[in-house]
Amino acid sequence: MTEAKFPKNFLWGGAVAAHQLEGAWQAGGKGVSVADVMTAGANKIPREITAGVIPGKNYPNHDGIDFYHHYKEDVKLFAEMGFKCFRTSIAWTRIFPQGDESEANEAGLQFYDDLFDECLKYNIEPVVTLAHFEMPYHLVEEYGGFANRKVIDFFVRFATTCFKRYKNKVKYWMTFNEIDNQSRFNNDFLMCTNSGLLLNNDSNNEAAMYQAAHYELVASALAVKEGKKINSDFMIGTMINFTPIYPATSKPADVLMAQRADQRRNWFSDVQCWGYYPANVEAYIERNDFRPDITEEDRIVLKEGTVDYIGFSYYQSMVVSADKVAPDDLSDPEDVIVSNPYVEKSDWDWEIDPVGLRYSLNALTDRYHLPLFIVENGLGAVDKVENDGSIHDPYRIAYLRAHLEEVRKAVTLDGVDLMGYTPWGCIDLVSAGTGQMSKRYGFIYVNKDDEGNGDLARSRKDSFYWYQKVIKTDGADLN
Ligand code: P53
């Protein structure tokens, strides 16, 4: 049974996002994105979001790992590992530097033509996220991000421009990265990266989130509709950070709390997959008098623009208890998290739960009856380069192996329809959450430290050869 293989056409690959690796933040007329105004933080030290780019501050995304100039070398290494696909995003600000222009920026479009051609040369299928925490900063300053209905049109223009330009090169798309992460509406970083909201203490962050999220969901649905007109073969997915939520005990209040937390957090994909808001969210918005602007026309769009598949990231599970807050009073799931005594934690305190991935694959299948695509999974860890240049990362191999064993069970024993697996940060890049380089995910090491020193040289870690073998054997050999 453990010999069972993954499907033959399974999309093995790796995932990155433009702002975390491309660098070249002003090349070819690129504009300033929200990622360009975020400083470097550290473990438990949040990144600062500055009012524009302030000289003298450290903005790690400005240079990334300079993939913009190294992509040929990097794609060649992906091909050497045997990648069948490569997930990246299109930096919105390369195509529309300010976000509200009527004409696209040709130099930006050309860069992605070149990158996708390079992938296709090795039969690597590009898998593209349209908006991965990369909104033009101008749209934040001038319009308030997705608090403003006008931003829907700007996103749809960006999306259709990309669909038209790359319709013969890209088949797999996702609209917004981890759209559900803004359910943590008191988190400045997540709100700014997801929908371009800058929180201020006087406003009701939760009401603001439901409004911005609605406009974003409408923008996503409109993009799906337009995309299908441009190429009916497109597969356009949602992208969520799926986090299964467990009750702290079998106490009924804890079990109800786990369900409530799931309803507060995981409703975004309900709207994108079903085409309408779940009853519990409608009731919650009503009872709190949030009164978001949701028109009848919007509801029709949501119905017509449902997704083809579910792309999701999986890093950890979450445990909640009803001890501090009663289930009916829950607004922010972050408030009720307790630590899970049965799982280990990473150096950044992310809980490691491989079984939770099998559980997630089944839960999503049961809820949506759609194909799934694991578009992120992985371990952020510190790596050490030996004197001979080798990098031994058995912890990363162990993490990925344990998760893939569970994925294989979901596919071969549970009948889950899984399109592919793209571990996060297949090449070391800037951490989204902390802005660090030292929180590494890659199979490929990049010589650069948290202060920005290093010659950017690429080298293969032990996990590089391990993943190469996994792909070569279609996942039969995970050792
Ligand atoms: P890092 C948490 C915080 C920030 C981004 O995260 C996150 C998450 C996980 O839910 O989402 C994804 O770099 C994201 C990537 C990111 C990756 O997780 O903080 O889609 O952009 O790099 C890993 O370790």
Side-chain angles (χ1 to χ4, degrees):
M1 205 138 60
T2 44
E3 280 302 301
K5 288 187 178 187
F6 286 78
K8 211 55 240 151
N9 55 356
F10 194 73
L11 290 168
W12 294 102
V16 299
H19 74 283
Q20 290 173 258
L21 88 168
E22 284 177 5
W25 70 294
Q26 292 178 304
K30 182 183 171 300
V32 175
S33 78
V34 290
D36 292 322
V37 299
M38 293 189 186
T39 64
N43 195 5
K44 305 214 170 66
I45 301 174
R47 306 180 69 172
E48 188 192 345
I49 304 166
T50 58
V53 174
I54 298 174
K57 296 242 181 207
N58 178 13
Y59 299 103
N61 299 69
H62 287 189
D63 301 316
I65 57 161
D66 198 28
F67 179 76
Y68 188 82
H69 295 107
H70 288 73
Y71 73 90
K72 288 192 178 166
E73 171 189 353
D74 295 339
V75 171
K76 193 167 180 224
L77 286 164
F78 301 152
E80 189 183 325
M81 265 187 281
F83 279 20
K84 313 282 186 228
C85 76
F86 173 55
R87 173 181 178 233
T88 190
S89 61
I90 294 178
W92 190 342
T93 50
R94 288 201 194 282
I95 313 302
F96 290 97
Q98 300 268 91
D100 56 0
E101 299 90 340
S102 47
E103 292 295 314
N105 173 35
E106 177 56 30
L109 288 166
Q110 188 60 48
F111 171 70
Y112 293 102
D113 264 316
D114 296 345
L115 171 60
F116 299 150
D117 286 343
E118 196 64 21
C119 292
L120 294 168
K121 186 171 120 185
Y122 298 102
N123 293 317
I124 296 174
E125 185 99 51
V127 175
V128 174
T129 321
L130 286 163
H132 192 132
F133 306 165
E134 286 149 345
M135 180 185 282
Y137 183 64
H138 173 73
L139 296 185
V140 175
E141 263 194 323
E142 194 66 28
Y143 299 87
F146 270 105
N148 191 329
R149 190 180 269 279
K150 283 190 195 139
V151 174
I152 297 176
D153 293 339
F154 301 140
F155 174 78
V156 174
R157 188 179 303 162
F158 163 58
T160 47
T161 301
C162 296
F163 289 149
K164 282 184 190 152
R165 178 79 171 213
Y166 309 118
K167 67 170 191 267
N168 299 319
K169 297 182 184 177
V170 178
K171 176 181 162 82
Y172 300 99
W173 301 87
M174 282 165 270
T175 52
F176 292 94
N177 187 64
E178 292 188 338
I179 190 166
D180 60 316
N181 257 356
Q182 58 195 308
S183 60
R184 288 175 260 174
F185 53 84
N186 286 314
N187 181 312
D188 299 79
F189 168 80
L190 293 172
M191 294 312 295
C192 183
T193 50
N194 274 278
S195 47
L197 291 198
L198 297 175
L199 302 183
N200 88 53
N201 296 330
D202 310 327
S203 62
N204 180 334
N205 294 341
E206 191 176 21
M209 181 275 285
Y210 277 99
Q211 180 64 78
H214 174 68
Y215 289 151
E216 220 175 329
L217 289 163
V218 171
S220 173
L222 283 169
V224 173
K225 279 180 66 176
E226 291 305 312
K228 292 293 178 157
K229 286 185 214 157
I230 293 162
N231 183 344
S232 57
D233 287 339
F234 278 169
M235 289 284 284
I236 310 177
T238 172
M239 195 309 194
I240 52 172
N241 169 232
F242 193 73
T243 305
I245 302 175
Y246 309 148
T249 71
S250 53
K251 191 164 63 183
D254 283 345
V255 176
L256 188 65
M257 181 57 103
Q259 187 177 53
R260 281 287 176 279
D262 181 73
Q263 290 173 335
R264 292 290 166 274
R265 205 194 139 95
N266 292 325
W267 59 272
F268 296 74
S269 42
D270 291 348
V271 179
Q272 290 178 303
C273 297
W274 300 338
Y276 55 87
Y277 280 83
N280 72 76
V281 173
E282 298 272 13
Y284 183 73
I285 288 174
E286 178 77 32
R287 134 164 103 85
N288 285 284
D289 208 20
F290 292 149
R291 301 186 198 202
D293 163 35
I294 302 179
T295 65
E296 281 315 305
E297 204 187 334
D298 291 346
R299 293 192 189 271
I300 294 167
V301 168
L302 294 178
K303 262 222 146 63
E304 292 174 346
T306 55
V307 294
D308 300 313
Y309 71 96
I310 299 158
F312 71 103
S313 62
Y314 177 80
Y315 291 97
Q316 47 183 337
S317 51
M318 169 170 146
V319 180
V320 296
S321 117
D323 285 355
K324 284 200 203 119
V325 179
D328 282 339
D329 297 333
L330 179 69
S331 54
D332 184 348
E334 292 291 287
D335 295 341
V336 292
I337 295 177
V338 295
S339 144
N340 186 340
Y342 302 102
V343 302
E344 313 235 295
K345 287 186 178 146
S346 79
D347 290 344
W348 275 262
D349 286 328
W350 289 24
E351 289 180 347
I352 301 172
D353 175 14
V355 174
L357 179 50
R358 181 178 181 188
Y359 177 87
S360 299
L361 287 162
N362 278 277
L364 288 168
T365 299
D366 293 349
R367 189 158 168 168
Y368 301 122
H369 310 153
L370 284 173
L372 307 178
F373 197 158
I374 303 169
V375 296
E376 289 184 30
N377 174 227
L379 177 71
V382 172
D383 292 323
K384 182 168 168 270
V385 185
E386 306 295 338
N387 289 335
D388 66 357
S390 57
I391 297 141
H392 307 304
D393 56 346
Y395 36 88
R396 183 167 293 108
I397 294 172
Y399 177 102
L400 294 170
R401 175 189 296 131
H403 283 77
L404 273 176
E405 275 168 0
E406 296 301 323
V407 173
R408 188 164 60 184
K409 286 181 211 161
V411 171
T412 61
L413 303 180
D414 307 335
V416 164
D417 180 3
L418 184 64
M419 295 159 61
Y421 180 73
T422 57
W424 176 250
C426 48
I427 180 163
D428 291 346
L429 39 60
V430 176
S431 156
T434 70
Q436 292 168 300
M437 267 311 293
S438 54
K439 190 181 186 189
R440 297 175 185 273
Y441 288 84
F443 302 115
I444 301 164
Y445 186 87
V446 177
N447 181 25
K448 182 178 172 180
D449 67 17
D450 289 339
E451 282 71 51
N453 305 310
D455 64 4
L456 298 175
R458 276 62 168 155
S459 46
R460 299 165 186 79
K461 304 181 193 177
D462 287 355
S463 57
F464 180 101
Y465 301 103
W466 173 80
Y467 195 47
Q468 185 180 52
K469 184 184 61 184
V470 169
I471 297 177
K472 202 169 174 196
T473 62
D474 289 320
D477 185 355
L478 300 178
N479 294 313

